[in-house]
Amino acid sequence: MCIFCQIISKEVESEIVFENDDIIAFKDLYPKAKHHLLIVPKKHIDTIKDLNENEADEELVGKMVLVARNLAKDLELEGYQLLFNVGKSAGQVIFHIHLHLMSNG
Ligand code: 5GP
Ligand code: ZN
């Protein structure tokens, strides 16, 4: 099981900031900004490349972006970055889709 699946199943600890049936969000263990959260679908998908052209995956990615927006709003962030690393050469290390939310305020 991948590390994010283990976080989802609570076998591995993390600082969870949001959770619903589809999505979990937690603090990045090695933050690269003052605020660095990871928004992760509970369904294991390796990379953005593996998304299907169907409504379920469209909805899932849409929900990830909206969760990120809502968390940023809760934190009263004025500006922030939303980032998907896709593939090893682009810096993807964990092969379970995740959206980085990063901000210094
Ligand atoms: P990637 O480079 O794959 O887009 O991002 C993976 C992110 O996961 C990195 O920013 C890294 O710091 C974070 N990370 C790696 N292992 C763990 C972990 O066990 N717990 C948490 N909370 N974050 C992790
Ligand atoms: Zn996984």
Side-chain angles (χ1 to χ4, degrees):
M1 217 198 272
C2 92
I3 182 77
F4 285 179
C5 282
Q6 291 177 72
I7 285 174
I8 290 159
S9 67
K10 315 274 162 69
E11 286 162 62
V12 167
E13 252 185 69
S14 69
E15 283 193 64
I16 297 168
V17 295
F18 174 85
E19 184 169 12
N20 68 14
D21 286 348
D22 305 311
I23 291 170
I24 191 166
F26 49 86
K27 292 187 182 178
D28 196 292
L29 197 56
Y30 309 102
K32 282 135 204 111
K34 186 172 149 198
H35 302 275
H36 189 168
L37 302 176
L38 301 171
I39 295 92
V40 181
K42 289 191 171 176
K43 177 182 167 191
H44 180 100
I45 304 170
D46 280 4
T47 84
I48 289 286
K49 297 177 196 176
D50 302 301
L51 287 170
N52 293 309
E53 293 275 344
N54 61 27
E55 273 185 31
D57 281 3
E58 282 177 6
E59 261 183 41
L60 192 63
V61 175
K63 284 176 183 175
M64 290 172 73
V65 173
L66 287 174
V67 166
R69 189 277 308 265
N70 292 343
L71 289 168
K73 200 174 173 190
D74 291 347
L75 290 166
E76 299 182 346
L77 302 177
E78 191 276 321
Y80 49 90
Q81 291 177 302
L82 296 179
L83 173 75
F84 286 106
N85 289 323
V86 184
K88 209 185 234 183
S89 68
Q92 186 174 0
V93 175
I94 310 286
F95 281 77
H96 179 137
I97 289 181
H98 51 280
L99 179 59
H100 293 260
L101 164 58
M102 290 174 285
S103 177
N104 288 312

